[in-house]
């Protein structure tokens, strides 16, 4: 509880300071672009919420050091590794000058640092043909570094509505914390709880009113943090299925893979080409009926916030069975296939205007 309350309080206070002082540096911190295909907010909003989350987790690690508890040095090394991913995103939030490729390389650099500092390398996959690759250090690095960088970018992709990425991150961290507790890995439990507290401190300012955004810094840090805790869970505990972290992160991961397929194969665009047809965007447009409703900023913000719970449910669908079968790779693989089928079926129904009536929000 000390860890949870410390990370929560520090993140809440830092986010409060960012919100209240934002008018003094609005030219740097605010998202003033209201016309992009993925822009839903009705007025400029500061997008430096990641500062509070990073500070909250860091404060929890300092507390562990002061208490002399397990995990402080381990957590400190992990936070050191997270610096490139967080810094690249935070600089983009302020200066809008860091390209997607450079941010991807920064998250890969963080993953490489974690591999060196805390041995965060996946050496088993339970996937035919990949285990022999993961058996060597080079092969494990080839598998782990792109995977961690990909998850960090995937969390950034789903960060499109108030509370969406932050709540999904808390759900994923809670699943990791539960399994870490089951296998007696106290260090990972502490770090996952620290992450939950820090995200919650930000969440109360972000949802539902959207007074501050997660930003690239927050999204990349959270994605990296969740991915690394998942990797370390299976590295340090051989009884946990190596597919479990992938199931935990399957919503942002599959959203990213499906978006790349949609952009490159279906539309012939570049993989990083922005568009407004992510699943969360379709939920807002088709289920919230924003186009036929009031365009008052308060109503638009309300509909923005009402979009997120739909995706929270989708994110949580595989988590309950995953944490109950964390030791079985066969069940984890079945959950991956089931989620993919549910996602594609849901996307197909919504994009072709065949959404079930009971899903459509009505005033």
């Amino acid at each position: 509880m000390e860890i949870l309350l410390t990370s929560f309080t520090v993140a809440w206070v830092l986010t409060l300071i960012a919100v209240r002082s934002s008018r003094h540096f609005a030219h740097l911190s605010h998202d003033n672009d209201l016309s992009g295909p993925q822009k839903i907010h009705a007025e400029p909003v500061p997008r430096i919420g990641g500062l509070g989350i990073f500070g909250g987790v860091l404060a929890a690690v300092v507390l562990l050091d002061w208490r002399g508890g397990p995990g402080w040095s381990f957590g400190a090394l992990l936070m050191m590794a997270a610096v490139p991913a967080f810094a690249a995103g935070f600089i983009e939030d302020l200066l809008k000058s860091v390209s997607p490729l450079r941010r991807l390389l920064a998250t890969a650099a963080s993953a490489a640092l974690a591999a060196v500092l805390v041995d965060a390398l996946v050496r088993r996959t339970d996937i035919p043909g990949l285990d022999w690759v993961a058996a060597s250090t080079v092969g494990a690095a080839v598998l782990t570094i792109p995977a961690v960088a990909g998850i960090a970018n995937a969390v950034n992709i789903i960060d499109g509505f108030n509370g969406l990425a932050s709540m999904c991150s808390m759900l994923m961290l809670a699943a990791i914390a539960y399994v870490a507790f089951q296998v007696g890995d106290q260090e990972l439990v502490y770090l996952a709880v620290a992450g939950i507290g820090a995200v919650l401190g930000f969440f109360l300012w972000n949802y539902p009113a959207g007074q501050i955004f997660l930003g690239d810094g927050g999204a990349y840090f959270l994605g990296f943090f969740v991915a690394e805790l998942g990797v370390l869970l299976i590295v340090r505990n051989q009884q946990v299925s190596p597919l479990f972290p992938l199931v935990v992160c399957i919503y942002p991961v599959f959203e990213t893979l499906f978006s790349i397929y949609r952009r490159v194969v279906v539309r012939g665009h570049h993989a990083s080409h922005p568009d407004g047809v992510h699943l969360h965007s379709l939920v807002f447009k088709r289920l919230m009926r924003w186009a036929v409703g009031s365009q008052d900023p308060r109503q638009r913000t309300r509909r923005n916030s009402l979009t997120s719970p739909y995706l929270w449910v989708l994110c949580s669908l595989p988590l309950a069975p995953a944490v109950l079968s964390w030791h079985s790779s066969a069940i984890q693989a079945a959950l991956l296939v089931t989620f993919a089928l549910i996602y594609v079926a849901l996307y197909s129904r919504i994009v072709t205007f065949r959404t079930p009536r009971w899903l459509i929000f009505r005033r």
Side-chain angles (χ1 to χ4, degrees):
M1 288 302 297
E2 282 184 327
I3 294 170
L4 180 70
L5 291 176
T6 297
S7 60
F8 168 80
T9 302
V10 171
W12 189 88
V13 170
L14 289 177
T15 308
L16 168 64
I17 294 172
V19 170
R20 295 296 185 236
S21 62
S22 63
R23 65 181 182 276
H24 299 299
F25 45 86
H27 63 291
L28 288 176
S29 66
H30 278 48
D31 189 345
N32 297 299
D33 180 11
L34 306 181
S35 61
Q38 300 174 5
K39 304 297 183 179
I40 306 299
H41 53 291
E43 57 187 24
V45 175
R47 46 177 294 162
I48 54 173
L51 184 63
I53 295 175
F54 188 88
V57 177
L58 186 60
V61 172
V62 172
L63 175 64
L64 284 172
D65 180 19
W66 181 56
R67 290 289 192 186
W72 73 267
S73 58
F74 181 76
L77 292 174
L78 189 60
M79 292 301 289
M80 288 174 56
V83 169
F86 172 71
F90 193 71
I91 293 172
E92 167 64 14
D93 293 332
L94 294 178
L95 304 179
K96 317 298 188 293
S97 61
V98 185
S99 68
L101 178 59
R102 290 180 178 177
R103 280 174 271 156
L104 179 63
L105 293 175
T107 54
S110 285
L113 279 174
V116 173
L117 296 175
V118 294
D119 194 31
L121 287 175
V122 175
R123 300 184 185 276
R124 58 192 177 92
T125 65
D126 282 0
I127 299 175
L130 285 184
D131 276 333
W132 69 271
V133 176
S136 67
T137 300
V138 174
V142 169
L143 291 177
T144 306
I145 292 174
V148 172
I151 292 174
N153 281 268
V155 172
N156 188 50
I157 284 178
I158 66 168
D159 182 29
F161 290 88
N162 297 340
L164 175 53
S166 51
M167 176 57 77
C168 287
S169 296
M170 284 192 283
L171 291 171
M172 293 186 286
L173 287 170
I176 292 172
Y178 175 83
V179 175
F181 177 77
Q182 292 297 311
V183 298
D185 195 329
Q186 194 174 18
E187 293 177 339
L188 290 188
V189 173
Y190 284 164
L191 291 177
V193 168
I196 293 171
V199 178
L200 184 60
F202 159 82
F203 180 84
L204 296 182
W205 290 107
N206 173 251
Y207 189 86
Q211 298 183 66
I212 190 169
F213 290 163
L214 192 60
D216 285 359
Y220 285 127
F221 170 70
L222 274 182
F224 168 81
F225 192 69
V226 171
E228 287 297 343
L229 291 188
V231 169
L232 290 166
L233 180 64
I234 61 175
V235 168
R236 294 156 56 97
N237 304 280
Q238 296 296 309
Q239 63 271 46
V240 180
S241 166
L243 295 180
F244 173 76
L246 181 57
V247 176
V248 168
C249 302
I250 189 58
Y251 165 52
V253 168
F254 194 81
E255 172 73 34
T256 302
L257 295 176
F258 190 80
S259 298
I260 293 173
Y261 164 79
R262 187 186 67 245
R263 292 169 178 172
V264 176
V265 178
V266 177
R267 297 195 166 190
H269 294 158
H270 191 273
S272 62
H273 181 76
D275 58 40
V277 286
H278 290 291
L279 180 59
H280 51 262
S281 301
L282 290 177
V283 169
F284 177 71
K285 295 175 181 178
R286 305 282 171 82
L287 275 61
M288 292 295 105
R289 298 292 186 89
W290 69 273
V292 297
S294 170
Q295 295 303 301
D296 179 78
R298 290 175 299 178
Q299 287 297 323
R300 189 164 184 173
T301 299
R302 179 169 178 261
R303 294 185 180 198
N304 180 324
S305 300
L306 287 172
T307 299
S308 295
Y310 284 89
L311 286 310
W312 296 344
V313 172
L314 181 65
C315 178
S316 64
L317 281 179
L319 296 184
V323 298
L324 295 176
S325 58
W326 50 264
H327 56 281
S328 173
S329 290
I331 297 177
Q332 300 297 317
L335 291 173
L336 291 174
V337 174
T338 302
F339 180 88
L341 294 175
I342 292 174
Y343 181 100
V344 172
L346 182 62
Y347 189 97
S348 176
R349 292 292 296 271
I350 296 177
V351 79
T352 56
F353 296 93
R354 294 183 294 119
T355 307
R357 286 183 173 272
W358 59 273
L359 281 176
I360 299 176
F361 174 77
R362 301 181 189 279
R363 296 185 62 181

